[in-house]
Amino acid sequence: MNHTATVQLTGKTINADGTIQVSFDDLTGFAYGDESGLVIDCELRDSQFADYLKSLLICMLVEQGINTVGKTLHLDLTEPNGNIVKVI
């Protein structure tokens, strides 16, 4: 199992027609009709953060065993230093 991932946001392009292309270092990206589409996507993903953290804790349990019980993952998108996921 591979439980590491690094993703870099490499660009946000606003096209002449107002559409937006967001790109990542793995050559993937997302297209949006306009800025409001980008905001809506963020709001939808925001509701999924807790489930993603639960999935990560399950992977930690598989890899690290019972020592994971009692661990907390904290996600803070406002963290100024870029260290947004913390294990407590």
Side-chain angles (χ1 to χ4, degrees):
M1 287 186 255
N2 181 8
H3 298 299
T4 63
T6 304
V7 178
Q8 181 183 32
L9 179 65
T10 57
K12 175 186 175 187
T13 303
I14 301 173
N15 301 310
D17 63 359
T19 59
I20 298 170
Q21 179 70 34
V22 176
S23 55
F24 301 94
D25 63 334
D26 63 356
L27 304 179
T28 63
F30 296 104
Y32 300 94
D34 57 20
E35 194 71 31
S36 66
L38 189 64
V39 171
I40 290 169
D41 193 27
C42 176
E43 291 170 355
L44 291 173
R45 291 174 193 277
D46 188 49
S47 67
Q48 300 168 347
F49 287 152
D51 288 337
Y52 292 146
L53 294 179
K54 289 174 187 175
S55 295
L56 293 172
L57 283 169
I58 290 169
C59 290
M60 288 175 65
L61 181 62
V62 168
E63 288 294 316
Q64 300 173 15
I66 199 70
N67 294 333
T68 304
V69 174
K71 296 285 184 187
T72 300
L73 290 181
H74 176 75
L75 176 67
D76 183 357
L77 293 178
T78 64
E79 170 66 42
N81 297 319
N83 186 12
I84 62 172
V85 177
K86 298 176 186 174
V87 179
I88 303 169

